[in-house]
């Protein structure tokens, strides 16, 4: 007996995940619509706007939660610069469909999913540098400059350490987020080295700011 269409039958979800991993886009589209999720028009690879989510990366025993922009019900592009070696800004991951945690951001609940596999690697290397800034807004300006070019920047003050129990629970990101601070700190960057140096130099010329040491991370 065939499962009913449009009623969120898990058989369609499992088929959608399997077809996505196999890059069988016609089957994946049909499975998601059978589950009850409308698909963007067209054929081939699904690259829609399915909103933000969080994914718990698991590489070599290290577990790091990053934000993603969902491209389909089970794929998303990583929007943070991971501090886990071997993981990169812009890579695309496949995640499970069962939430294992929740973050609240701007008053909205956002699900945390476990990663199933790395679907597409990113060509952007991860670098790290030490920046010196007199005001927190200077650090924000650096992050904005990198994102405006399609790159990534993650100051150390933006990381938040959680135990496994808390990570798999509900975390109000608005209340627990560590605010970007001034002074000296490490910043992880996702960009080709030449472009990273260009952006850092332009940023440093904009006030009492500076940077030193640019090294490949991982």
């Amino acid at each position: 007996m065939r499962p009913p269409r449009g009623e969120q039958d898990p058989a369609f979800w499992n088929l959608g995940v399997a077809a996505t991993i196999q890059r069988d886009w016609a089957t994946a589209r049909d499975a998601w619509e059978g589950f009850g999720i409308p698909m963007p028009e067209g054929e081939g690879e699904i690259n829609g706007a399915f909103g933000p989510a969080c994914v718990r990366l698991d590489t070599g025993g290290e577990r790091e939660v990053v934000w993603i922009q969902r491209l389909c019900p089970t794929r998303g592009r990583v929007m943070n610069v991971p501090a886990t070696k071997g993981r990169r800004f812009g890579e695309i991951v496949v995640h499970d469909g069962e939430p294992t945690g929740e973050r609240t951001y701007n008053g909205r609940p956002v699900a945390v999913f476990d990663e199933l596999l790395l679907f597409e690697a990113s060509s952007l290397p991860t670098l790290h540098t030490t920046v010196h800034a007199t005001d927190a807004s200077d650090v924000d300006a650096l992050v904005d400059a990198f994102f405006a070019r399609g790159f990534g920047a993650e100051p150390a003050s933006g990381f938040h350490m959680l135990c496994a129990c808390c990570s798999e629970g509900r975390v109000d990101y608005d209340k627990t987020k560590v605010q970007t601070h001034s002074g000296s700190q490490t910043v992880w960057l996702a960009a080709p080295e030449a472009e990273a140096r260009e952006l850092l130099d332009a940023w440093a010329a904009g006030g009492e700011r500076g940077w030193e040491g640019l090294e490949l991370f991982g």
Side-chain angles (χ1 to χ4, degrees):
M1 180 176 179
R2 292 184 177 182
R5 294 182 68 87
E7 298 183 10
Q8 298 188 354
D9 190 291
F12 282 114
W13 184 275
N14 294 335
L15 178 60
V17 173
T20 297
I21 292 172
Q22 295 297 320
R23 290 176 165 80
D24 181 352
W25 301 115
T27 300
R29 285 175 177 274
D30 183 70
W32 297 132
E33 289 177 348
F35 185 79
I37 303 174
M39 287 289 102
E41 293 183 3
E43 299 178 354
E45 186 171 348
I46 306 167
N47 286 310
F50 287 79
C54 292
V55 167
R56 184 176 292 104
L57 304 178
D58 191 353
T59 304
E62 297 183 49
R63 295 164 66 82
E64 178 178 359
V65 175
V66 296
W67 288 84
I68 63 168
Q69 180 61 46
R70 298 177 81 184
L71 304 174
C72 77
T74 194
R75 278 164 52 248
R77 187 181 304 277
V78 174
M79 303 304 293
N80 293 117
V81 183
T84 303
K85 289 186 177 181
R87 306 312 300 262
R88 293 183 172 184
F89 170 89
E91 64 189 19
I92 298 175
V93 299
V94 175
H95 62 76
D96 199 2
E98 183 70 25
T100 54
E102 182 179 280
R103 303 292 182 267
T104 301
Y105 184 64
N106 288 339
R108 291 181 52 199
V110 179
V112 180
F113 301 100
D114 287 336
E115 177 187 25
L116 292 178
L117 58 85
L118 175 62
F119 184 81
E120 184 177 311
S122 171
S123 62
L124 290 176
T126 303
L127 310 166
H128 64 96
T129 185
T130 300
V131 303
H132 312 283
T134 57
D135 193 87
S137 62
D138 293 323
V139 181
D140 291 334
L142 177 63
V143 173
D144 291 343
F146 272 78
F147 273 91
R149 291 274 291 271
F151 302 142
E154 205 77 40
S157 55
F159 288 97
H160 187 198
M161 301 298 293
L162 296 172
C163 68
C165 182
C166 292
S167 177
E168 294 176 0
R170 183 176 183 273
V171 178
D172 190 330
Y173 194 76
D174 294 316
K175 292 181 179 179
T176 61
K177 181 182 178 183
V178 179
Q179 297 299 315
T180 304
H181 63 66
S182 58
S184 298
Q185 64 178 306
T186 299
V187 177
W188 282 261
L189 305 170
E193 184 175 348
E195 283 88 339
R197 290 183 181 277
E198 174 189 335
L199 288 168
L200 285 165
D201 286 340
W203 171 78
E208 296 182 19
R209 310 163 174 174
W211 64 278
E212 60 180 333
L214 184 62
E215 298 179 2
L216 188 65
F217 178 77

